[in-house]
């Protein structure tokens, strides 16, 4: 029974629950950004590049052979391009979010402390000695 209690204490800690919420929200955010890239951003880019649909771009290494039930072997670089664009958008969104949070939570820097009296006195003595010929 002790191990079950330890696990319950571990799972109910705030950090673990916060992490679980972050993972769920992150997965949902990833789906939204993927949809944004695939359905909103890539069609105009494809139109601007002459109607190219990036997700269907591939380099066929070995064509399919339906008679022998051999599947096509291809490098799907178009899907990779979509994934890179999705990553860049997610990275930009996270950067902007962290930047906004840092701006909100930034505390003003404290004013520098005045030097101790003995340092001020020694500085004045040094300056007076410099002015003497």
């Amino acid at each position: 029974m002790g191990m079950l209690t330890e696990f319950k204490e571990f799972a109910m800690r705030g950090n673990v629950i916060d992490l679980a919420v972050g993972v769920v929200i992150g997965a949902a955010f990833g789906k939204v950004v993927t949809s944004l890239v695939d359905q909103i951003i890539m069609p105009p880019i494809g139109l601007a590049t002459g109607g190219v649909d990036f997700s269907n771009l591939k380099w066929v290494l070995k064509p399919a052979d339906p008679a022998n039930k051999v599947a096509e072997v291809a490098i799907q670089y178009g899907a990779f391009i979509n994934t890179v664009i999705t990553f860049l958008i997610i990275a930009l969104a996270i950067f902007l979010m962290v930047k906004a949070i840092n701006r909100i939570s930034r505390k003003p820097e404290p004013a520098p402390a005045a030097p101790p009296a003995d340092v001020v006195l020694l500085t004045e003595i040094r300056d007076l000695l410099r002015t003497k010929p």
Side-chain angles (χ1 to χ4, degrees):
M1 192 67 183
M3 188 171 187
L4 185 61
T5 306
E6 276 185 62
F7 178 74
K8 181 180 174 186
E9 288 175 13
F10 168 76
M12 292 302 154
R13 269 195 239 155
N15 294 342
V16 175
I17 293 172
D18 291 345
L19 178 63
V21 170
V23 168
V24 170
I25 290 175
F29 183 69
K31 288 180 182 180
V32 169
V33 172
T34 300
S35 175
L36 173 73
V37 169
D38 292 343
Q39 298 164 351
I40 296 175
I41 294 175
M42 292 311 288
I45 291 175
L47 183 63
T49 59
V52 176
D53 181 10
F54 284 98
S55 61
N56 293 328
L57 294 178
K58 60 186 171 185
W59 180 29
V60 178
L61 300 174
K62 182 178 178 185
D65 185 10
N68 294 327
K69 297 183 180 177
V70 175
E72 176 182 75
V73 178
I75 297 174
Q76 297 180 343
Y77 63 90
F80 178 73
I81 291 171
N82 279 355
T83 303
V84 168
I85 291 172
T86 301
F87 168 76
L88 292 174
I89 291 172
I90 290 174
L92 177 66
I94 290 173
F95 169 74
L96 293 174
M97 186 171 51
V98 168
K99 188 174 179 177
I101 289 171
N102 286 342
R103 184 177 295 141
I104 291 170
S105 64
R106 186 173 295 156
K107 297 174 186 167
E109 293 184 24
D118 57 344
V119 173
V120 173
L121 182 61
L122 288 172
T123 305
E124 289 174 4
I125 293 170
R126 181 198 65 202
D127 294 342
L128 286 171
L129 289 173
R130 279 190 184 162
T131 59
K132 287 191 174 185

